[in-house]
Amino acid sequence: MKDVQLARVAEQYGIATSYEDWRGRRVRVGPDTIRHVLSALGVDPDRPAADSAPGPLPPAVVVREHKAPDLVLPEGARSGVETSDGSLLPFGPGLPLGVHTLHVTVGGAEHDAPLLVVPDRIEPSALRHDRRLWGLMTQVYSVRSRASWGVGDLRDLAELADWSGRDLGADFALINPVHATEPLPPLEPSPYLPVSRRYVSPLYIRIEDVPEYARLDPAQREGIQRLARPLRERGRTADLLDRDAVWEAKRSALEILFQVSRAPGREAALRTYLEREGQPLVEFATWCALAEEYGADFRSWPVRLRDVSAHAVGEEALRRWPTVEFHRWLQWLLDDQLSHAQATACAAGMDVGIVHDLAIGVQAGGADAWMYGDALVPGLHVGAPPDEFNRRGQDWGQPPWNPRRLAELGYAPFRQMISQALRHSGGVRVDHVMGLFRLWCVPEGAPADEGTYVRFDHEGMVGTLALAAHRADAVVIGEDLGTVEPWVRDHLRDRGLLGTSVLWFEQERDGTPRAPEDWRADCLATVATHDLPPVASFLSAEHVELRDRLGLLGRPVEEERADSEERVERWRAHLVGLGLLDPGVDPVADPAAVVAAMHAYLVRTPARMLGVALTDVVGERRMQNQPGTSTEYPNWRIPLTSAEGEPVLVDELLADPRMVARIRRTLGPLGHGGAADDLP
């Protein structure tokens, strides 16, 4: 009887008591997991399921534009809407897009709830008239130049966008998350495990592009260049990236620049920015200042400082105000350089420009977790259930949103993150977009396969995303790989959000490659992802040898190698059969020819967007990230290198005729400056 009661409570709060695994089998969730998840959400797992009727209003009311609300109010209830501009309107069809407040009076009692009026469907101008777009996908930190300080920065991104837009006809550049990192070393190398998704990492600032650099005296400029020289020398090698050394040098340079007097126009621009950003930026900068003394996990700080709204926090912020101001100023510099990168991309002819990536979550002790408080759930980690490639499941160490609390806030924290990402970009990629519907949540300390799904109000989550994208006229790409309920993809398609389709995964039940015309149209089509080996490594089965050395194989290496070689052979034969690859080509000896054929294959699909990994067109063989590892493999520290293992710099992409010729060859039909929608 207790299990039945527990199941009722779980169902009431959107917690799955069973789920279908990647094989299609039904798996029952253990009662201990359910109890832990309920407790983490602030629910007593032993209380009876609510038998009484719910209140007159849910935590948030979501209405699609031009559609009648489906909320049924009690008989005799009086209702009205206070819009975001202060107007008062009746509750019903025709409400303006935006976030409003619904007021309901029932029996003399007043009830309020956030009211979101969201687009039924987004139709970004770049995708209208059945246009097809293509672009490069890259990890900004890995794309360096002779002038950058050992890691790629926002000037390098601008130059890459300018070149690919002008010379190759690219429509966009899809980049890794550039979310905020720790204020002091050591820096977390993964761009998918930031301290904040709302703000940006100052690691990406180009020091010499800060206007105040020109106001330094010669001795000061020489001092800054002395910091840069050893980093630039290392940046011309294939050595692993050293974020800590780069940030220590940049931090020293930025502290010098922060003291330089600003021209009146610059000072006015800074004040305008700070006023626009308001209290949230003060809170983020305060977290940075406190983290410099107490560490980057606020859960280990003195108890009096763990609540962002505590009086003691305000006192500490005032005591450290110069440091708080410094971190606010850094975000202003980033805002300016992000704006320049997007403007450069658009001036180069890109229809979309920069597409930013939104990570699935943040560090449990980071700035967002501190700022957003009970909107995030301590004691739970987001991850993924067991699947074909990760039989033990995955634990990403990030706290999930609290579904009810997030709705009560009108999805404001999520809306702020999306709006920030879209401020200076033409689109956003949402990592693990299924998280807008449900998240695999693992009790902290438990194995990753002992979790369960927690459901979200997808109308609120997707609606919030659609509202921000509509206002920015932006493209939205959802990473929907892995275990996904079929209706989720249908819902995203109906709302105008693109999915993600990867060549290596597009196969029939018997393992044969899917015909290009059978791909879905509403997607970003790519050969691989940053979590898969570059094509050259896949073709040679190097990735199997690597996983074997790292102890990641669940069966004998010979079986894994045979499976990999069989998959490669199936695709080789398929490309030959389509007339895209010469039958005499040896994939291991000539991977560039296979890459070109694969891009020609993508062109034959109906996909609305085509993404080309920069690593594949320059011949890179090393993976950026090996899932299932942390320190065993240098994840997210691999610089861009050629097939020969030599560093590839942005300058060479622009100036080296041999490199440009290689890139055009491996781009195949995309590399001739024509629009992808005009290609056969």
Side-chain angles (χ1 to χ4, degrees):
M1 190 66 184
K2 283 187 176 181
D3 285 351
V4 173
Q5 178 177 303
L6 183 66
R8 288 175 179 167
V9 177
E11 181 181 0
Q12 184 178 348
Y13 286 91
I15 299 168
T17 57
S18 68
Y19 65 94
E20 187 176 283
D21 71 5
W22 60 279
R23 298 184 185 92
R25 301 173 182 172
R26 180 58 54 178
V27 179
R28 184 173 176 270
V29 178
D32 288 345
T33 295
I34 295 172
R35 288 177 176 277
H36 190 116
V37 173
L38 281 167
S39 297
L41 291 173
V43 179
D44 181 357
D46 295 316
R47 74 165 183 77
D51 297 320
S52 59
L57 292 176
V61 178
V62 183
V63 178
R64 296 201 207 177
E65 188 182 20
H66 306 310
K67 293 192 175 182
D70 60 4
L71 178 66
V72 178
L73 297 176
E75 186 176 349
R78 291 183 291 107
S79 65
V81 174
E82 182 180 351
T83 64
S84 54
D85 64 2
S87 304
L88 296 176
L89 297 173
F91 180 55
L95 290 167
L97 286 171
V99 182
H100 315 302
T101 303
L102 174 61
H103 303 289
V104 174
T105 303
V106 182
E110 295 184 356
H111 305 269
D112 294 342
L115 170 64
L116 281 72
V117 182
V118 302
D120 186 49
R121 176 181 174 83
I122 61 170
E123 296 183 0
S125 57
L127 285 173
R128 289 175 195 158
H129 312 299
D130 294 323
R131 282 221 56 220
R132 168 183 277 180
L133 310 173
W134 84 273
L136 293 177
M137 307 183 299
T138 192
Q139 309 286 314
V140 177
Y141 57 81
S142 73
V143 183
R144 304 163 298 170
S145 64
R146 289 183 175 86
S148 52
W149 292 32
V151 298
D153 58 33
L154 292 175
R155 166 61 78 88
D156 295 325
L157 171 61
E159 293 184 352
L160 178 68
D162 184 67
W163 167 73
S164 61
R166 291 183 191 277
D167 290 5
L168 302 178
D171 299 294
F172 64 89
L174 171 57
I175 64 172
N176 60 279
V178 292
H179 304 320
T181 48
E182 296 84 351
L184 292 178
L187 303 188
E188 165 59 49
S190 172
Y192 292 91
L193 190 56
V195 300
S196 173
R197 292 188 289 173
R198 179 167 181 177
Y199 297 104
V200 185
S201 170
L203 187 71
Y204 294 105
I205 292 174
R206 171 64 68 90
I207 299 296
E208 292 82 358
D209 284 358
V210 178
E212 283 68 44
Y213 179 81
R215 299 169 73 94
L216 296 173
D217 62 46
Q220 289 175 309
R221 284 201 294 273
E222 173 57 25
I224 286 179
Q225 289 308 308
R226 277 199 300 270
L227 295 170
R229 286 187 192 112
L231 300 173
R232 289 192 179 119
E233 291 174 6
R234 183 185 176 97
R236 293 167 189 163
T237 72
D239 293 347
L240 297 178
L241 304 177
D242 187 348
R243 286 175 173 82
D244 291 350
V246 172
W247 177 232
E248 285 178 347
K250 284 193 173 184
R251 168 88 186 222
S252 297
L254 288 163
E255 287 174 343
I256 294 170
L257 291 171
F258 182 56
Q259 302 301 324
V260 178
S261 61
R262 290 176 283 273
R266 288 274 293 167
E267 185 65 28
L270 171 59
R271 294 302 146 195
T272 299
Y273 170 81
L274 295 178
E275 183 177 351
R276 182 188 72 196
E277 290 297 303
Q279 184 62 24
L281 180 56
V282 173
E283 292 175 354
F284 170 75
T286 298
W287 179 90
C288 291
L290 293 174
E292 290 182 10
E293 178 169 342
Y294 299 111
D297 188 338
F298 80 89
R299 297 171 300 178
S300 65
W301 293 358
V303 174
R304 63 190 178 87
L305 300 178
R306 296 179 192 174
D307 182 352
V308 66
S309 62
H311 182 69
V313 170
E315 291 180 332
E316 285 290 311
L318 289 175
R319 190 165 70 84
R320 305 163 189 270
W321 193 248
T323 305
V324 173
E325 283 283 77
F326 173 71
H327 287 288
R328 292 208 296 169
W329 173 77
L330 290 178
Q331 292 302 312
W332 175 58
L333 297 184
L334 287 159
D335 190 74
D336 186 53
Q337 294 194 7
L338 284 167
S339 174
H340 177 261
Q342 175 65 1
T344 300
C346 293
M350 287 188 168
D351 286 323
V352 175
I354 311 302
V355 178
H356 286 282
D357 200 349
L358 185 75
I360 184 61
V362 294
Q363 293 181 29
D368 279 0
W370 185 66
M371 293 164 60
Y372 293 133
D374 59 359
L376 291 167
V377 185
L380 293 182
H381 288 176
V382 174
D387 60 27
E388 181 180 3
F389 297 96
N390 297 279
R391 302 295 178 94
R392 300 174 183 173
Q394 298 178 64
D395 181 343
W396 301 329
Q398 301 160 324
W401 291 116
N402 184 318
R404 184 174 186 86
R405 182 59 183 146
L406 187 62
E408 290 171 347
L409 294 170
Y411 301 94
F414 181 57
R415 189 170 67 249
Q416 291 162 359
M417 292 174 184
I418 297 293
S419 298
Q420 195 84 354
L422 292 174
R423 178 177 291 166
H424 300 305
S425 72
V428 64
R429 173 192 178 272
V430 181
D431 191 42
H432 195 70
V433 74
M434 298 84 76
L436 304 183
F437 299 78
R438 65 178 186 178
L439 280 173
W440 181 258
C441 294
V442 182
E444 192 169 9
D449 59 354
E450 292 184 11
T452 187
Y453 284 108
V454 175
R455 287 201 171 274
F456 290 78
D457 179 0
H458 64 274
E459 286 290 344
M461 299 293 285
V462 176
T464 298
L465 177 58
L467 179 61
H470 171 80
R471 287 173 166 169
D473 189 27
V475 172
V476 178
I477 302 161
E479 185 271 293
D480 58 351
L481 304 172
T483 305
V484 185
E485 297 169 294
W487 72 270
V488 168
R489 290 195 172 107
D490 293 339
H491 182 85
L492 294 173
R493 181 198 63 224
D494 293 343
R495 303 299 294 274
L497 280 63
L498 302 182
T500 303
S501 292
V502 174
L503 178 142
W504 292 119
F505 300 153
E506 290 294 321
Q507 55 189 24
E508 306 298 343
R509 288 182 178 272
D510 62 359
T512 58
R514 183 163 292 146
E517 61 270 19
D518 292 338
W519 283 42
R520 56 177 169 167
D522 296 298
C523 73
L524 167 71
T526 70
V527 173
T529 75
H530 57 253
D531 288 331
L532 291 173
V535 171
S537 174
F538 208 110
L539 295 175
S540 64
E542 289 175 30
H543 65 106
V544 174
E545 309 302 330
L546 172 64
R547 289 164 59 214
D548 182 45
R549 290 198 301 273
L550 295 172
L552 298 175
L553 298 182
R555 54 180 176 163
V557 64
E558 294 79 13
E559 293 182 21
E560 288 281 351
R561 189 185 302 110
D563 272 3
S564 178
E565 291 172 350
E566 183 181 356
R567 178 175 293 196
V568 169
E569 173 54 28
R570 286 197 299 263
W571 274 101
R572 187 202 68 81
H574 191 56
L575 295 171
V576 168
L578 292 171
L580 301 175
L581 183 66
D582 188 291
V585 168
D586 179 351
V588 177
D590 191 1
V594 180
V595 173
M598 287 176 166
H599 293 149
Y601 171 92
L602 293 182
V603 169
R604 291 196 181 184
T605 72
R608 306 288 302 281
M609 297 181 72
L610 307 180
V612 177
L614 183 59
T615 49
D616 285 335
V617 297
V618 301
E620 173 69 82
R621 307 186 77 92
R622 292 183 292 180
M623 292 182 66
Q624 282 295 320
N625 177 50
Q626 173 58 68
T629 64
S630 54
T631 58
E632 302 91 341
Y633 182 82
N635 294 320
W636 315 113
R637 290 184 285 154
I638 307 295
L640 187 67
T641 58
S642 66
E644 296 73 34
E646 296 298 319
V648 175
L649 305 180
V650 173
D651 318 63
E652 295 172 3
L653 294 176
L654 278 60
D656 185 341
R658 291 175 300 176
M659 178 61 71
V660 171
R662 179 194 181 103
I663 288 171
R664 288 192 183 280
R665 181 194 177 201
T666 50
L667 279 173
L670 296 173
H672 301 287
D677 51 326
D678 297 331
L679 297 169

